[in-house]
Amino acid sequence: MKTIILGIESSCDDTSAAVIADGLLLSNVIASQDVHAEYGGVVPELASRAHQQNILPVVDTALRRAGVSRSDLSAIAFTRGPGLLGSLLVGTSFAKGMSLGLRVPIVDVNHLHGHVLSHFIRREETDTVPEYPFICLLISGGNSQIILVRAYNDMEILGQTIDDAAGEAFDKCAKVMGLPYPGGPHIDRLAAEGNPEAFKFAKPHIPGFDYSFSGLKTSFLYTLRDHLKTDPDFIERNKADLAASLQKTIIDILLDKLAKAVRETGVKTVAIGGGVSANSGVRAAIEEFCRRRGLTAFIPPRLFTTDNAAMVAIAGYYKYLDRDFCPYDLAPYARVNV
């Protein structure tokens, strides 16, 4: 009998459901929320309400596309945290209710673990996955971490941001430039047309493996302020160069600590995950970084970089095999480390 896992993701502003059978992905459905764009960021209350509207049709569509009935499910995996508490409550409550109705176990998944394990999502039997141990550079809107992954349930944070994350730096600088939310993809698009050496921004000097992006953000703002004093059209005329220089600086900061981690751990495989791993410059830089060092690079398909239930389902699949089930009295959590 096949092991079939329904995954549910509702940590932020995307409602997603996916079905995995014996480790192979059968479906992955995502409903995005456009309502936040006019506010320049995610509004938690609006996100929670949208999840309530979307979760039933999203789950139904995922099951239908997978050709799976509810009675076929072995377990239900759901994101328990970290994330927006109201949004997590919607997914958690739905998973618990469905589990009780079907009399199948539930499996709670750490959202960050899901991003790391996105490399184990297989759409074909021949798809390759990383060998343990490997280093994962997890870069998203709220997290920037270097993680040593020894097993699906054995992850050690070597370093992480002490203030802003890489994704926040992209989005906040993009907002100042007048770009729509989310700003990261717009920076990526503009950077392809600009000169990455046009502007120099501050880089932090943080000991160990930890990151900091607040100084870069401040340096970026000061550069704009100084030029706008005498040139009101400075941003409009230099958008591409500003984007390219900002992207290069962020990549340089990320790779500097990654290189240190690779040297000190001796690992031969590097993976990236999280929303910022969809950035074209980041993906190209990681490929070149690994090529020069003779390392194996794992770069996820863009579909699996953003919040999605396929990564929740695969993490839940491994926990299910270990019979690591979730009690019904566990509540979602907003913040936690890997």
Side-chain angles (χ1 to χ4, degrees):
M1 181 177 293
K2 288 186 176 181
T3 298
I4 301 177
I5 307 296
L6 169 67
I8 296 173
E9 157 62 20
S10 68
S11 64
C12 191
D13 60 336
D14 287 333
T15 313
S16 182
V19 177
I20 280 181
D22 289 342
L24 288 179
L25 182 65
L26 302 183
S27 67
N28 187 36
V29 179
I30 302 173
S32 298
Q33 302 175 7
D34 298 327
V35 67
H36 307 285
E38 61 181 293
Y39 298 100
V42 176
V43 181
E45 177 62 24
L46 295 180
S48 301
R49 294 181 182 183
H51 282 304
Q52 289 179 316
Q53 295 175 334
N54 292 336
I55 193 164
L56 186 57
V58 164
V59 168
D60 181 68
T61 301
L63 291 171
R64 187 160 31 85
R65 289 183 182 176
V68 168
S69 68
R70 288 172 294 176
S71 60
D72 295 326
L73 295 177
S74 305
I76 300 168
F78 67 97
T79 301
R80 187 170 156 234
L84 301 176
L85 197 55
S87 296
L88 291 166
L89 277 167
V90 175
T92 300
S93 300
F94 186 92
K96 289 180 178 180
M98 191 173 184
S99 165
L100 287 168
L102 297 177
R103 297 185 179 180
V104 296
I106 49 174
V107 180
D108 63 312
V109 172
N110 180 315
H111 178 77
L112 304 183
H113 285 186
H115 277 303
V116 174
L117 296 175
S118 64
H119 297 280
F120 293 85
I121 300 168
R122 292 182 299 132
R123 289 178 281 192
E124 304 289 342
E125 290 283 0
T126 54
D127 289 347
T128 58
V129 299
E131 292 185 3
Y132 300 115
F134 66 91
I135 280 181
C136 182
L137 177 61
L138 177 58
I139 36 179
S140 66
N143 298 277
S144 293
Q145 299 178 331
I146 298 177
I147 304 168
L148 177 59
V149 186
R150 300 186 183 92
Y152 90 88
N153 56 354
D154 184 1
M155 304 184 192
E156 177 187 355
I157 296 176
L158 302 180
Q160 60 187 331
T161 183
I162 61 174
D163 42 57
D164 288 347
E168 289 176 299
F170 274 123
D171 287 342
K172 290 178 179 178
C173 291
K175 186 174 183 179
V176 175
M177 291 171 62
L179 299 175
Y181 173 85
H186 296 283
I187 293 289
D188 190 18
R189 174 180 55 81
L190 287 168
E193 306 167 4
N195 175 13
E197 305 295 338
F199 300 97
K200 300 296 181 183
F201 303 120
K203 296 179 182 178
H205 298 282
I206 307 298
F209 300 110
D210 286 339
Y211 286 114
S212 170
F213 292 96
S214 63
L216 165 62
K217 182 186 65 178
T218 302
S219 174
F220 186 86
L221 294 176
Y222 281 169
T223 298
L224 297 188
R225 183 198 63 181
D226 293 344
H227 283 87
L228 287 171
K229 288 179 180 178
T230 56
D231 184 1
D233 297 324
F234 171 76
I235 295 178
E236 189 60 35
R237 289 189 298 100
N238 294 278
K239 275 187 177 180
D241 287 347
L242 286 166
S245 299
L246 173 67
Q247 181 167 284
K248 180 181 183 300
T249 306
I250 291 177
I251 291 172
D252 287 347
I253 294 170
L254 290 170
L255 294 188
D256 178 65
K257 295 303 178 76
L258 180 61
K260 179 179 175 67
V262 168
R263 287 194 304 269
E264 296 197 12
T265 61
V267 299
K268 299 301 181 182
T269 301
V270 171
I272 57 173
V276 179
S277 65
N279 179 280
S280 301
V282 170
R283 296 166 78 89
I286 290 293
E287 286 184 343
E288 179 64 12
F289 174 91
C290 291
R291 186 190 66 79
R292 288 186 175 184
R293 291 165 175 79
L295 305 174
T296 301
F298 278 87
I299 299 174
R302 283 186 168 86
L303 174 64
F304 301 140
T305 60
T306 56
D307 295 345
N308 66 91
M311 67 184 193
V312 177
I314 193 64
Y317 171 71
Y318 289 122
K319 293 188 74 172
Y320 175 85
L321 295 181
D322 278 350
R323 317 305 287 177
D324 186 3
F325 303 143
C326 176
Y328 287 103
D329 60 353
L330 289 187
Y333 50 85
R335 294 181 179 274
V336 73
N337 288 331
V338 171

